[in-house]
Amino acid sequence: MRGIIWRYELRKALLSPVILALLALFLAFNLLYIMQQSYKRQDMAVLNTMAGQFGARITDQMLAALEQYNQQPGLFLESEIASFHRLSILQHYAARMQEIDEVYAKLDTSRMAEGQIQLYGLSGQAATALKERYARLDTRLQQLEASGEYKHLFFDGKLYGTHSMLFKSLFRMLLLELMILAALLSVFLSKNEFEQHTHLLFYSARHGRKLQTDKLLAALAATAALTTILAGISLSAYFLTFSYKGLWQVPISSFFTWEPGMAFPFLTWHDLSFGKYLGCAVALMYGLQLIFAALAFVLGFFIRSSYFVYGSFAVLFGSLLLLGRVVPTSSELLFYAGFTPFQLILNPHIWFTAGGAFNMIRDWEWMTAGGWAVVLAALCYVCLKQFKRQNIH
């Protein structure tokens, strides 16, 4: 009986006209964004060929082979005049590779820390804590240089900005879209009987007070299903448009992930290849959406109207984003004010990396998601227990 009810609630959520309409709208928006960026595809494909022929790891032998290749006469057919542009891209990468060691030798984490302290007006414990974190970044840089992790080919961030294109733009859109769907799903299921004025009939039945447990489980399952559909189609379209052949094992901390306006390239605290980084990002995406579904469910327990639940969710979103502005700039708590799932969904491009003054705590992403998951799991349990005894009139 319980399995039948659970499947019914899940089906009701996934076949809701509002949810289906939003899913179609979000999917169309994501695919449109990918199409708008597809003009980079042909130029980016040159690196796939380059990595396949010379390898992705930058060594003296690889540089010598590339130099010899660039000097060969008759490299292209007359009919391939457009390939001149391809040659210029190869030469661009060859020139950029020559400057890697010089650039890294100039990186000074103590100066970076001082610059961030002055930029944000930090003092006291906050300034001391930031210096300590940049000192740990210096240790990570030394490990990076010793292992040669940074000496790998990847799409040049200064030309294509692929890290931001994928994680800052597409992933952020996905996370915001899925958050909306997760909240709508959870509130729709938990408040449906009350909105339809059938709650007295349903909750007075033998299984009645246990129905909210089924609804929560259905909301979580439906959220996971929609995440799979929306993210699966969007990411599939992205990787069908932009080939990463030969680059899946390249470390995210490659010199070439450096994009304009950054003090240093994207540096992960752990040795992560692009494939592993993407896998971690997708796993965190799923976790965050389950958190949002549970959060909406808890809000719905205390608030009768579904419209007020949506409003409260939005207010909570904005309030937690502004939390850092009320913490004194001399307090170390300033760095922990961003430990919210809302900060996470707005900054997917710096997940697992040394992302700047307020994102320099190693593994803060997992700590944030894990902490919120534990707290919300406990709150959901309390709410379900309380619902069995409360007056539903």
Side-chain angles (χ1 to χ4, degrees):
M1 178 65 180
R2 188 161 194 173
I4 296 174
I5 295 174
W6 185 85
R7 287 195 296 271
Y8 170 75
E9 293 293 334
L10 179 60
R11 183 175 179 273
K12 181 168 65 175
L14 293 176
L15 295 182
S16 167
V18 174
I19 298 298
L20 290 176
L22 281 175
L23 180 63
L25 177 64
F26 291 154
L27 185 58
F29 184 77
N30 295 345
L31 295 178
L32 177 62
Y33 170 76
I34 294 170
M35 289 176 59
Q36 289 174 336
Q37 301 298 317
S38 62
Y39 69 92
K40 305 175 183 178
R41 177 175 54 185
Q42 291 184 345
D43 286 358
M44 288 169 59
V46 175
L47 186 64
N48 300 126
T49 304
M50 187 176 175
Q53 185 168 352
F54 302 105
R57 188 173 181 87
I58 301 171
T59 62
D60 292 339
Q61 293 79 6
M62 182 264 206
L63 288 170
L66 179 61
E67 182 65 24
Q68 183 179 5
Y69 180 84
N70 283 334
Q71 294 175 356
Q72 288 180 13
L75 193 58
F76 306 109
L77 300 174
E78 289 294 329
S79 59
E80 297 177 318
I81 299 300
S83 294
F84 177 76
H85 183 58
R86 176 173 176 247
L87 178 59
S88 70
I89 294 174
L90 291 174
Q91 292 174 338
H92 167 81
Y93 278 102
R96 291 273 283 155
M97 283 187 276
Q98 299 293 339
E99 64 185 37
I100 293 178
D101 288 327
E102 180 182 353
V103 169
Y104 272 78
K106 293 180 180 178
L107 291 178
D108 187 339
T109 55
S110 60
R111 289 181 59 186
M112 293 179 194
E114 290 295 339
Q116 294 292 292
I117 289 170
Q118 293 180 13
L119 178 63
Y120 295 106
L122 304 181
S123 60
Q125 293 180 340
T128 302
L130 189 62
K131 289 178 181 178
E132 292 173 354
R133 288 174 185 138
Y134 269 92
R136 287 195 285 270
L137 176 62
D138 186 62
T139 301
R140 172 62 179 139
L141 272 173
Q142 292 176 21
Q143 295 173 349
L144 199 76
E145 294 178 23
S147 66
E149 187 181 334
Y150 66 112
K151 281 192 170 184
H152 285 80
L153 284 174
F154 201 71
F155 299 118
D156 191 350
K158 291 190 175 182
L159 288 179
Y160 311 113
T162 51
H163 188 90
S164 290
M165 180 170 64
L166 175 55
F167 294 102
K168 186 176 183 178
S169 297
L170 183 57
F171 251 77
R172 181 189 285 174
M173 287 190 292
L174 281 170
L175 288 163
L176 289 169
E177 292 161 357
L178 288 167
M179 180 188 69
I180 293 171
L181 290 173
L184 285 174
L185 272 173
S186 188
V187 176
F188 169 71
L189 287 179
S190 64
K191 311 300 290 185
N192 185 255
E193 279 69 33
F194 291 99
E195 298 287 343
Q196 300 298 321
H197 304 293
T198 58
H199 57 287
L200 295 178
L201 174 63
F202 277 90
Y203 292 117
S204 62
R206 181 180 178 183
H207 185 75
R209 292 304 180 109
K210 298 178 181 179
L211 183 58
Q212 280 292 310
T213 301
D214 296 321
K215 288 178 174 293
L216 174 60
L217 294 175
L220 296 175
T223 296
L226 288 180
T227 300
T228 300
I229 294 170
L230 185 58
I233 295 176
S234 299
L235 292 176
S236 295
Y238 177 88
F239 288 110
L240 286 173
T241 302
F242 305 104
S243 173
Y244 279 67
K245 183 180 179 182
L247 303 175
W248 290 93
Q249 299 303 317
V250 169
I252 282 290
S253 299
S254 163
F255 165 78
F256 286 100
T257 59
W258 202 329
E259 296 184 5
M262 295 173 57
F264 49 85
F266 290 101
L267 297 177
T268 56
W269 291 106
H270 304 278
D271 183 358
L272 290 176
S273 66
F274 173 77
K276 290 180 180 178
Y277 185 95
L278 178 64
C280 289
V282 170
L284 187 54
M285 175 192 290
Y286 273 92
L288 288 172
Q289 301 318 315
L290 297 179
I291 286 172
F292 292 133
L295 177 58
F297 180 86
V298 170
L299 290 175
F301 176 80
F302 296 101
I303 303 171
R304 176 73 64 160
S305 170
S306 59
Y307 296 104
F308 284 118
V309 177
Y310 301 139
S312 300
F313 192 96
V315 170
L316 184 62
F317 187 133
S319 299
L320 291 178
L321 288 180
L322 295 174
L323 184 60
R325 298 193 177 186
V326 301
V327 179
T329 54
S330 61
S331 173
E332 191 175 353
L333 290 175
L334 185 65
F335 302 112
Y336 298 98
F339 277 42
T340 72
F342 303 115
Q343 284 285 1
L344 277 173
I345 67 169
L346 292 179
N347 298 287
H349 57 297
I350 58 173
W351 286 355
F352 322 121
T353 69
F358 301 102
N359 303 100
M360 290 291 289
I361 300 176
R362 185 170 178 166
D363 296 326
W364 74 278
E365 306 85 0
W366 299 120
M367 288 189 285
T368 301
W372 276 75
V374 170
V375 171
L376 285 170
L379 287 174
C380 286
Y381 177 79
V382 171
C383 289
L384 291 173
K385 284 289 186 181
Q386 182 66 27
F387 184 76
K388 293 180 180 180
R389 297 189 297 270
Q390 76 176 30
N391 188 341
I392 60 173
H393 291 277

